[in-house]
Amino acid sequence: MHDEDIETIFIALLDEAVDVWRPVEAIRIEKSKYKITSVNSDPDDEHWQFVTGDIVLCEEKQFQGGSRGLIAVKKVQV
């Protein structure tokens, strides 16, 4: 694995009053599939929609303020 294989995707945080997205590191497996490599360092406080090691399908999203990023939308199998 090389640094260029790592990309940033966003995972929804559960149990929040508003939409909150956590940037995490992931390895691209296929066109829209990524394997999450980041570890949740505070699982008692942050409840991630997906966890380390999950392979997720990502879609592009425009966030409030105009920035764009890839968000994890569902867990998939390779």
Side-chain angles (χ1 to χ4, degrees), residues 1-3 5 11 13 15 20 22 25-26 28 31-33 35 41-42 45 47 52 66 69 71:
M1 177 171 57
H2 305 296
D3 287 340
D5 296 332
I11 297 175
L13 296 185
D15 305 322
V20 178
R22 165 65 57 213
E25 292 184 343
R28 185 174 167 185
K31 182 178 178 182
S32 299
K33 292 180 185 175
K35 181 176 181 179
S41 60
D42 193 4
D45 186 48
H47 302 114
T52 307
I71 61 165

Side-chain angles (χ1 to χ4, degrees), residues 15-34:
D15 305 322
E16 300 289 331
V18 296
D19 287 347
V20 178
W21 299 94
R22 165 65 57 213
V24 298
E25 292 184 343
I27 298 170
R28 185 174 167 185
I29 305 252
E30 292 178 13
K31 182 178 178 182
S32 299
K33 292 180 185 175
Y34 292 80

